[in-house]
Amino acid sequence: MTVTSLFLDMEEKNVLIVGTGQVGIRRARRFLDAGAYVSIITHGIDYDIKEEFINKGAVFYSDSALDELIKKCDLVVVATDNMELNREISLKAHDKLVNCASDISLSNVIVPSTFNIGSVTISLYTNSKSPLMAKQLRKKIQSIITETDILFIELQEYVRYLLKKHVSSQDDRKEFMIHVNEDEIVQKLIEEGKLDEAKKYVKCLIEKIN
């Protein structure tokens, strides 16, 4: 396995989606929501979904624009229901980032199952062995991560912000952040959902450092 996980900033990147079945629609929506410039070639799409995509900035083209769109795009998503056509387009776009929904061997980019829980983004990929298990694992993860975990993340962001103002040593900042997570008062406040009170308490602790 030669792939590795990355998060890419897709804002203002050019993405071409060819085909708008379930996969193409999911990918188009994902990249539109990430701020990409999305071009779409399709022979059929639900009217409401097309309107949604147009309102988000997508532009629809005919087949004749394929070669020109490939030239200008950063990423090509090939997701038609014709495997031979998918192969042809993927090979034509070989020098670009390519995600081919029907044949992973033609892809150099994998678009994993991704979801958000609060400010946490989680991506799952089973090396194309079991999309079903990816869904099952997603449900397990969603059941494990709690609202308390999300509040601790928000608190840690606040702690890091304050510590950078008061503590010059990175090692000291790390040690203090561990101390905050283990503090019984902090734990009690977070478990009760009192994030603002936890922030005030931690701020007093940090101010006492100096």
Side-chain angles (χ1 to χ4, degrees):
M1 182 176 177
T2 59
V3 298
T4 187
S5 300
L6 295 171
F7 283 91
L8 299 177
D9 182 356
M10 294 302 299
E11 186 173 12
E12 297 186 356
K13 296 296 189 297
N14 290 304
V15 178
L16 170 62
I17 308 286
V18 185
T20 52
Q22 291 185 3
V23 173
I25 287 172
R26 286 202 306 270
R27 304 277 158 85
R29 185 173 284 126
R30 173 182 293 199
F31 291 117
L32 283 167
D33 290 344
Y37 297 133
V38 175
S39 302
I40 299 174
I41 294 177
T42 181
H43 289 168
I45 184 172
D46 178 85
Y47 176 81
D48 290 337
I49 294 176
K50 183 174 183 178
E51 284 296 298
E52 173 198 342
F53 288 173
I54 289 174
N55 289 336
K56 289 181 176 180
V59 180
F60 286 79
Y61 293 88
S62 65
D63 292 349
S64 61
L66 177 64
D67 290 349
E68 189 61 34
L69 289 172
I70 288 176
K71 287 180 182 178
K72 78 172 189 177
C73 74
D74 300 298
L75 168 66
V76 181
V77 175
V78 190
T80 78
D81 57 5
N82 184 324
M83 294 184 66
E84 185 55 40
L85 178 61
N86 288 351
R87 176 178 176 79
E88 179 184 330
I89 296 172
S90 297
L91 292 176
K92 183 177 291 190
H94 68 92
D95 61 340
K96 301 287 185 172
L97 295 178
V98 178
N99 173 246
C100 180
S102 60
D103 189 346
I104 189 175
S105 69
L106 297 172
S107 304
N108 54 28
V109 171
I110 305 301
V111 182
S113 172
T114 302
F115 58 99
N116 295 308
I117 303 177
S119 56
V120 177
T121 300
I122 299 166
S123 294
L124 289 170
Y125 177 54
T126 60
N127 202 20
S128 297
K129 293 180 179 179
S130 178
L132 176 61
M133 277 307 300
K135 291 181 180 179
Q136 294 298 320
L137 291 171
R138 171 175 177 161
K139 291 179 181 178
K140 286 186 178 181
I141 293 171
Q142 287 175 315
S143 69
I144 292 171
I145 297 178
T146 66
E147 180 63 24
T148 298
D149 296 320
I150 303 305
L151 290 178
F152 263 115
I153 291 173
E154 297 298 322
L155 180 63
Q156 285 284 306
E157 179 185 31
Y158 180 70
V159 172
R160 289 180 65 206
Y161 168 75
L162 292 179
L163 285 175
K164 286 180 179 180
K165 288 186 173 183
H166 292 83
V167 180
S168 59
S169 168
Q170 183 175 347
D171 288 339
D172 289 343
R173 292 198 299 266
K174 180 179 178 180
E175 184 177 341
F176 187 87
M177 291 177 73
I178 293 173
H179 170 72
V180 166
N181 257 29
E182 296 174 347
D183 187 287
E184 292 183 1
I185 295 177
V186 169
Q187 290 180 355
K188 184 174 185 298
L189 290 171
I190 291 298
E191 287 170 3
E192 293 175 352
K194 298 176 180 178
L195 178 60
D196 289 340
E197 291 186 32
K199 286 182 176 180
K200 291 177 183 178
Y201 172 75
V202 170
K203 183 178 180 182
C204 290
L205 293 180
I206 295 175
E207 288 174 347
K208 291 177 181 178
I209 293 176
N210 296 331

